[in-house]
Amino acid sequence: MNQQKLPNATAVLVLGIVSIVSCCCYGIPGLITGIIGLVLYKKDNDLYQQNPTLYSDYNNLKTGRILSIIGIVLSVLYILYLIFAIAFIGFDALSDPELMQERIRDLQN
């Protein structure tokens, strides 16, 4: 029997990698690509579960899922960090290093 490749397995893998790489771009691109990767994973996983012997690259699909989850977690953590920094340090201090150091010293004392 000739095995086929899952239609979105490579796309899920690439989106998982992109979600990890782009999580530091304010978290939004990493979050979006990670969620898209998980949606595509679900579609291909359902297809694979219907007939497992027909498809060959399920390992790429599982790896892409894991990378997408890691990318989502890192993106959420980065977004939370940005919210914390803006809430406690202030938006104006993010562009002024001296003001940022002063506010961090104030927080420490």
Side-chain angles (χ1 to χ4, degrees), residues 3-11 44 48 52 54-63:
Q3 290 186 328
Q4 304 176 30
K5 291 187 179 249
L6 287 164
N8 297 319
T10 305
D44 271 9
Y48 178 79
L54 190 61
Y55 300 104
S56 63
D57 57 349
Y58 187 66
N59 286 332
N60 284 349
L61 191 66
K62 290 191 307 186
T63 304

Side-chain angles (χ1 to χ4, degrees), residues 69-91:
I69 291 171
I70 292 170
I72 289 172
V73 169
L74 290 175
S75 295
V76 168
L77 288 174
Y78 193 75
I79 290 171
L80 291 175
Y81 166 74
L82 287 176
I83 291 171
F84 172 79
I86 291 171
F88 287 101
I89 297 173
F91 193 73

Side-chain angles (χ1 to χ4, degrees), residues 6 8-20 30-46 48-49 57-74:
L6 287 164
N8 297 319
T10 305
V12 171
L13 185 62
V14 169
L15 285 169
I17 293 168
V18 169
S19 72
I20 290 176
L31 190 63
I32 292 170
T33 55
I35 291 171
I36 292 171
L38 287 180
V39 168
L40 291 178
Y41 165 80
K42 182 169 176 13
K43 289 168 71 175
D44 271 9
N45 188 41
D46 292 343
Y48 178 79
Q49 296 302 328
D57 57 349
Y58 187 66
N59 286 332
N60 284 349
L61 191 66
K62 290 191 307 186
T63 304
R65 174 182 172 244
I66 292 168
L67 292 174
S68 292
I69 291 171
I70 292 170
I72 289 172
V73 169
L74 290 175

